[in-house]
Amino acid sequence: MKRNSPTVLDEQRGAYRPTPPPAWKPRTDPGPLLPDPEPYRVLGTEGALKADPALLRRLYAQLVRGRRYNAQATALTKQGRLAVYPSTTGQEACEIAAADVLREQDWLFPSYRDTLAAVARGLDPVQALTLLRGDWHTGYDPREHRIAPLCTPLATQLPHAVGLAHAARLRGDDVVALALVGDGGTSEGDFHEALNFAAVWQAPVVFLVQNNGFAISVPLDKQTAAPSLAHKAVGYGMPGRLVDGNDVVAVHEVLTEAIQRARTGGGPTLVEAITYRIDAHTNADDATRYREDKEVEVWRGHDPIALLERELTERGLLDDDGKQAAKDEAETMAADLRARMNADPVLDPMDLFSHVFAEQTSQLREQAAQLRAELDAEAENDTHNEPGGTGR
Amino acid sequence: MTTAAVKPATMAQALGRALRDALAEDPTVHVMGEDVGTLGGVFRITDGLAKEFGEDRCTDTPLAEAGILGAAVGMAMYGLRPVVEMQFDAFAYPAFEQLVSHVSRWRNRTRGAMPLPITIRVPYGGGIGGVEHHSDSSEAYYIATPGLHVVTPATVDDAYGLLRASIASDDPVVFMEPKRLYWSKSQWNPQTPTAVEPLGRAVVRRPGRSATLLTYGPSLPVCLEAAEAATAEGWDLEVVDLRSLVPFDDETVCASVRRTGRALVVHEATGFGGPGGEIAARVTERCFHHLEAPVLRVTGFDIPYPPPMLERHHLPGVDRILDAVARLQWEAES
């Protein structure tokens, strides 16, 4: 290439003396954020059980009640009383611990699978099952119970938990949000955005991933290439913790520590609880198509209730009377639930238009009038067709 | 004091003033989005707010629209009134799941127990020479989603009034800002800003007798210009500014069309599946016996938004409107 004359740029280039790039170092030491590769365990670990006996008995009673609730809800599905029920049989330790670590002012953000956590937090089981029954979408006032509506889309409740926790902190309130998500949900974009926001804002929020092995039929190794789901935390600048999800005491301790950290301004934590879904995804799922019975049997041998029961019995903290009392209480709950779910709910069709906007638009008023007229005509027909009515 | 000269203000200034007044009057109002803090927004709508109200009230968020709107849901659950900026029309699409699956349904899902008063500001539309993804007219997606209010100002006065009303609303509002009009000016007085009627009222911007132009947002000035030009042809066009697509003001629209007997819908969004189809159907259903001609539409073409060097061929302009008005003057052919 022939050049006519040096340009200004050439002169600048000639004068240019490269300087070293600005010094770079990681913004946070990833070491303290990394999860211990061995899931944290208490039950069956020599000298590890230090929890208050009253707490242990409470957790035991809740686990037994939770197992019965899962069985009853599954039965109601078979009877057609529930449209669908995603069971947490085998995962009760996560659900119970999540509810138990929260104080009254804290918030729980459940997914559709987490009705048991809501019930353990004190929600009426009938209200918890409203969505799954097909009787409206949320059977309770979220503010009254501090339980967000059950979330059906995956992981979209996580940014809500972050926003609520952030708002509470802006207002100077002592509130922590605990958000539940499954292993499949960690692949969603909202999982990433929520964790990133939480860490940047140092929001008082705790994320509990219940890794139950499958997103419907897709196993974890087809879901992620990460060493563990808890490892994802380090990328956001928050600590990740791995815990045995069937060890209710261990989950309780890890969550308590994470919540305490959030409450005292230490920011968010990602907890991965390793557990297993003993039942199928829902009644519409055939789990035998994607997993072996012997795998299920292994997990049945690591049952959350049996784990706690054995340890409490060995330590003399639980006797046959205690077991029976827990069982009886669970039966009472199940009988009450059965009786109330077997009553047909009474719905008002005009409610279809009641809660779209604060004030109905003229368009909705027209449609409501149309439905009113259709209902009146139906009622008129029914009157004529009733025995003893005027007939036609 | 009616003699004091009022300095012309832009729509951008009026929007900024509305945000400032809302932040000052209501401590639960929070402005949030990408670049809204130190930079003052890429269109400078939020200029100075972070400085005046602090970064907790006017927050630069991470660059993630679903996260922004999702966090706003949680904040609204806790009693705040978030005002979210989506920066550009097509940048709002990642937040679509939050908007459609949660924001729009929350009141309904909780049977009225938990309304979400979120305002989502979406700068929209073309005509500014933006590259791809900076010029979409996305209003059809929003109006097809039950539970959302969808409003769009076309004047400086309305920019202030409608934004204040949107923030005050207990329901989520998608606030479509015609970015082409950000720098349009009027003798708007920021010292005495005007309120608007409740959301959902259209307004007649120019009375006329020959036909009604139904329009909103960026197409309003084009329609007014067309109406002026049409006087040379002896046509006296009425121009209705819809201001709100949801709720839709059937009353004002139909009263106008019944007076004039002819209607033309004008907007930038695509014609097929665009708002014009819904509007034309509503007008036809309600005014059939008053109509002297079919309701016509002048819209953007049914194409992905074109590159800036071609956008003038896509956007509805005065000539295309006048041609359509001419077609409205039809006589039944035998």
Side-chain angles (χ1 to χ4, degrees), chain A residues 107 136 138 143 149 151 153 156 159-160 163-164 167-168 170-171 173 175 190 193 197 351 355 357-358 361 363 366, chain B residues 28 56 64 66-68 70-71 73-75 78 80 97-98 102 106-109 111 113 147 149 171 248 250 282 286:
Chain A
W107 275 74
W136 280 98
T138 303
R143 226 177 254 117
C151 190
T156 51
H160 306 166
L164 183 135
L170 288 178
R171 292 195 142 188
D173 295 343
V175 169
D190 281 58
E193 297 193 18
F197 269 66
D351 267 358
H355 306 294
F357 295 111
T361 61
Q363 289 80 38
E366 277 177 24
Chain B
T28 66
D56 283 346
I68 295 168
V73 169
M75 291 165 72
Y78 204 75
L80 302 184
E97 184 180 17
Q98 286 290 344
H102 294 305
W106 209 268
R107 173 186 287 279
N108 190 255
R109 176 179 294 152
R111 304 190 77 182
H149 290 304
D171 285 315
F248 188 81
D250 288 303
R282 302 190 78 80
R286 285 161 179 76

Side-chain angles (χ1 to χ4, degrees), chain B residues 139-228:
Chain B
E139 60 268 32
Y141 304 131
Y142 304 120
I143 67 172
T145 303
L148 300 175
H149 290 304
V150 183
V151 305
T152 174
T155 68
V156 176
D157 289 67
D158 271 8
Y160 181 88
L162 286 174
L163 185 51
R164 290 302 306 275
S166 299
I167 297 170
S169 168
D170 283 335
D171 285 315
V173 179
V174 179
F175 190 84
M176 311 286 296
E177 298 177 3
K179 55 175 115 63
R180 172 142 61 110
L181 302 184
Y182 272 152
W183 304 282
S184 63
K185 290 182 177 177
S186 87
Q187 300 300 108
W188 178 70
N189 185 349
Q191 302 314 314
T192 54
T194 41
V196 290
E197 299 161 85
L199 291 180
R201 300 301 297 184
V203 61
V204 176
R205 295 289 182 198
R206 184 192 191 282
R209 290 173 290 107
S210 313
T212 299
L213 305 188
L214 299 167
T215 191
Y216 56 87
S219 293
L220 176 67
V222 187
C223 285
L224 289 172
E225 199 188 330
E228 283 311 307

